[in-house]
Structures are given as C-alpha cells and as structure tokens.
Amino acid sequence: MKRLSSPDSLGALMSICPASTEEHSPVYGREFHTMLEGLDEEGCVEESGHVSEKKRRLSVDQVKALEKNFEVENKLEPERKVKLAQELGLQPRQVAVWFQNRRARWKTKQLERDYGVLKASFDALKHNYENLQHDNDVLLKEVVIIPQSLSHSMPNTI
C-alpha cells in the first residue's frame, strides 16, 4: 500500500473535498473522483489501484481478553501469541499488532503521568523558591533598616 501524504497529493485534496462524490462534479472532475473510489478508510490505496480489504474491528470480548493478557505481561512470547490468537479466533499478526499498539498507548499514558508528577514537583519547588525569595527580600530590607535605626537612636558623643 502507498500512503498519500505529500501536500499536493490526493490526501490533501480529500480534506477539502465535499461529502458528495458525484462523478461529474464541475469542481473536481471525473479523474479525482475515480481516484477517491480507490481509497480505503485510512486514505491508503493499493499499488494496483484496487481498494484494500476493510479494516476488521475486534469484538468487545476479544478486546477484554487481550487487555487481561496485557495486564499480566505486556510483551508477547511467540507461543503465547499463537495460543491467544487461536483462543480468540484471530491471526497471530493481529494479536502482535494489537499488543504493539497497546504498548504505545501505555507508554504515552505513562509519559503523561510522569509529566504530571514532574509538573507538580516543579510547581511546589517554584512556590517554595518564591516564598524564600520573598523572605530574603524582607530580611534584606531589615538589614538596611536596622543600622539606620541604630544610628538615629545613639546619642552623638563628639
């Protein structure tokens, strides 16, 4: 399959294409709509120009079983992959791809959690720094004021 991704590609044209795919559209013409018919749901077209087979969705039960297995171990050994595929009525490649995609989603969520923890820590440190900065400013003012007040309160003995 070939992904249509260049700026002047059909994919870019699809984003501005109206929902109507009339073959004789005065705006886009017959060639454009013929190309559109060769696309699958993801904007891919087979090298031969034929529409690829529709993407198959997993059932709720299959996803639940895969999720349970992912919780146990997020990596798949070949034997486990084949066994899971047989139990769920899937191809081993489907199971492998599902696990790969699930690990990617897990990693993204983990990064979001880590970011949240780091941001909270940063915010606490920043708040603490600002409080210390304020305390330091107050103390510096006192250092300036105290000698002045001492010099005014002492009698001149000259």
Side-chain angles (χ1 to χ4, degrees), residues 107-119:
K107 184 177 179 181
T108 300
K109 287 289 185 191
Q110 188 61 44
L111 286 171
E112 289 172 0
R113 283 189 291 268
D114 292 347
Y115 172 80
V117 169
L118 287 172
K119 177 142 179 36

Side-chain angles (χ1 to χ4, degrees), residues 35 48 60 154:
M35 291 170 69
S48 65
V60 173
M154 296 182 102

